[in-house]
């Protein structure tokens, strides 16, 4: 079975009938997400069009499939699902029409044919208990499959909080001995795209960066791309002015809640959670949890299940505090404003298409 990895992104777009206009719109969005000036969009378009589509092997381990759902349930055509034009998805057990031996043969073939060059995407944590017996695919444990696939990978991308930090399967008492991908893969760069599930545009943005620049984006101390995880949700939250004024909703149906006041006292974890939900948003940039009236659960941070206390206010002194955050907010203002503009533009585009 020949893979389509030799095809350029430009050839794939043409073959799949994606218009030049839609592609340029996508490149402008990517420029914004990567905090580059909008004028860089044509250069990104040129680099992306000429780039060879990388072979992607996507391994699903202990997960709920929310990460794949996040990516595939987006509106079409969209920034989110442009990812499928940029890559040659040579193995994804959940999405594959093939099953059983045929699917496993496709994975092994793609790994041999693109050894040293393919991107390995993993969602779900890795079960290490009972010699890996808790989670196997085709009789092969997740640990063995990951070790084998990582050998020939150019880079490994951990998609979702389970793959990045262990997620729900690793929560106490962690019966399967679940660990994150980075606990197994030690000799390759591992990029963590955390979130339960992660924001689909962020997955696409990381791949677009890799194809455009031939390198991985700058990462934070937890291995997450700084362009998306460099600010806290609180830094960019549209309810932040109410926090600064000391206006807090006390219950989910009081006057403060109806007026859109800050959800800090209802347990919002925005101040200690780093992700791009407040700027990139979800569902075609329609909204995000806080905008729908519920506090952030902190799903893109390590151990968020075990930390729990989803409806209790963060203890005073457990995070940076207003002064520190104000400084951080000023430093990140340009990125935040640009991302917010992108979100508004995407909403307008979707409205036009409807
Ligand atoms: Fe985990 Fe993803 Fe949460 Fe679910 O694949 S990050 S439980 S959305 O599915 O791994």
């Amino acid at each position: 079975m020949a893979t389509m990895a030799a095809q350029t992104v430009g050839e794939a777009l043409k073959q799949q009938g994606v218009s030049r206009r839609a592609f340029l719109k996508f490149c402008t969005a990517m420029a914004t997400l990567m905090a580059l000036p909008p004028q860089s969009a044509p250069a990104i378009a040129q680099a992306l069009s000429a780039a060879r589509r990388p072979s992607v092997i996507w391994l699903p381990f202990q997960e709920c499939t929310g990460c794949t759902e996040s990516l595939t349930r987006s509106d079409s055509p969209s920034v989110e699902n442009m990812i499928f034009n940029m890559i040659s998805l040579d193995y994804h057990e959940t999405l594959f029409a093939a099953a059983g031996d045929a699917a496993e043969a496709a994975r092994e073939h793609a790994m041999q044919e693109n050894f040293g060059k393919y991107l390995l995407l993993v969602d779900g944590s890795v079960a290490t208990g009972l010699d890996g017996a808790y989670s196997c695919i085709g009789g092969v444990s997740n640990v063995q499959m990951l070790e084998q696939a990582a050998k020939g990978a150019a880079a490994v991308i951990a998609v979702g909080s389970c793959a990045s930090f262990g997620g729900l399967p690793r929560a106490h008492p962690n019966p399967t001995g679940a660990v994150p991908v980075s606990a197994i893969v030690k000799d390759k760069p591992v990029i963590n795209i955390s979130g339960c599930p992660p924001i689909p545009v962020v997955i696409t943005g990381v791949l677009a960066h890799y194809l455009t620049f031939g390198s991985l984006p700058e990462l934070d101390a937890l291995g997450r791309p700084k362009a998306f995880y460099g600010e806290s949700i609180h830094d960019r939250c549209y309810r932040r002015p109410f926090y600064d004024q000391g206006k807090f909703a006390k219950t989910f149906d009081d006057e403060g809640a109806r007026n859109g006041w800050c959800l800090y006292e209802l347990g919002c974890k925005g101040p200690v959670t780093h992700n791009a939900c407040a700027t990139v948003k979800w569902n075609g940039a329609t909204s995000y949890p806080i905008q729908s009236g519920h506090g952030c659960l902190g799903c893109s941070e390590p151990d968020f299940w075990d930390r729990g206390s989803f409806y209790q206010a963060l203890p005073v002194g457990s995070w940076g505090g207003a002064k520190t955050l104000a400084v951080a907010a000023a430093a990140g203002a340009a990125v935040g404003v640009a991302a917010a503009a992108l979100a508004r533009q995407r909403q307008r585009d979707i409205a036009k298409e409807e």
Side-chain angles (χ1 to χ4, degrees):
M1 187 193 307
T3 71
M4 298 295 283
Q7 205 178 29
T8 65
V9 172
E11 287 163 353
L13 291 169
K14 200 168 170 189
Q15 191 181 35
Q16 288 161 40
V18 176
S19 71
R20 179 84 186 148
R21 187 169 165 267
F23 180 55
L24 279 174
K25 207 192 289 181
F26 167 78
C27 293
T28 306
M30 286 299 115
T32 309
L33 288 173
M34 291 184 242
L36 298 171
Q39 307 87 283
S40 57
I44 292 176
Q46 202 174 359
L48 266 182
S49 294
R52 299 270 159 209
R53 297 167 81 212
S55 171
V56 168
I57 314 267
W58 186 314
L59 301 179
F61 293 152
Q62 293 194 116
E63 39 85 23
C64 76
T65 313
C67 301
T68 294
E69 290 276 349
S70 173
L71 200 56
T72 55
R73 289 293 171 101
S74 51
D75 292 333
S76 182
S78 71
V79 171
E80 288 88 342
N81 60 25
M82 190 69 85
I83 188 177
F84 295 111
N85 299 304
M86 299 194 310
I87 61 172
S88 172
L89 189 56
D90 292 326
Y91 179 85
H92 188 312
E93 199 194 52
T94 317
L95 298 179
F96 249 26
D101 290 344
E104 296 314 299
R107 177 175 56 79
E108 282 172 17
H109 179 84
M111 279 164 39
Q112 278 168 16
E113 195 176 59
N114 303 292
F115 192 86
K117 293 183 288 194
Y118 60 80
L119 291 175
L120 179 62
L121 271 66
V122 181
D123 62 350
S125 64
V126 189
T128 61
L130 290 181
D131 284 334
Y134 282 112
S135 182
C136 299
I137 298 170
V140 180
S141 75
N142 294 170
V143 182
Q144 287 174 316
M145 192 175 281
L146 177 58
E147 285 173 342
Q148 187 196 18
K151 276 185 196 148
V156 182
I157 301 178
V159 178
S161 289
C162 297
S164 298
F165 305 131
L168 176 61
R170 187 166 168 266
H172 181 77
N174 189 4
T176 66
V179 297
V181 168
S182 57
I184 305 291
V185 180
K186 298 286 190 190
D187 58 349
K188 292 277 158 73
V190 177
I191 305 165
N192 290 327
I193 304 180
S194 61
C196 187
I199 302 175
V201 172
V202 174
I203 305 171
T204 310
V206 169
L207 287 167
H209 184 287
Y210 181 74
L211 290 179
T212 302
F213 300 107
S215 64
L216 300 171
E218 194 185 351
L219 306 178
D220 71 5
L222 293 174
R224 303 174 297 192
K226 275 187 179 172
F228 304 103
Y229 296 89
E231 302 293 327
S232 73
I233 304 275
H234 179 74
D235 287 344
R236 303 266 68 91
C237 182
Y238 75 104
R239 297 189 190 224
R240 172 70 184 269
F242 292 117
Y243 171 88
D244 293 336
Q245 294 165 34
K247 290 182 173 174
F248 301 102
K250 309 285 183 194
T251 68
F252 285 106
D253 59 356
D254 68 6
E255 194 190 345
R258 284 193 289 278
N259 289 330
W261 290 0
C262 177
L263 301 172
Y264 176 83
E265 293 189 5
L266 291 172
C268 181
K269 302 296 179 285
V272 292
T273 305
H274 294 79
N275 206 340
C277 300
T279 48
V280 172
K281 300 192 180 179
W282 289 81
N283 299 325
T286 305
S287 184
Y288 71 111
I290 293 170
Q291 193 173 340
S292 71
H294 194 285
C296 166
L297 296 181
C299 77
S300 57
E301 296 297 325
D303 303 325
F304 84 99
W305 282 106
D306 283 337
R307 287 183 188 175
S309 66
F310 294 138
Y311 298 100
Q312 286 163 21
L314 285 164
V316 174
S318 69
W319 52 289
K323 194 174 173 194
T324 310
L325 285 166
V327 173
V335 177
V337 169
L342 168 63
R344 286 195 297 277
Q345 183 58 50
R346 288 177 60 215
Q347 283 176 323
R348 283 196 291 273
D349 291 342
I350 289 163
K352 254 189 246 165
E353 279 154 18
E354 285 169 354

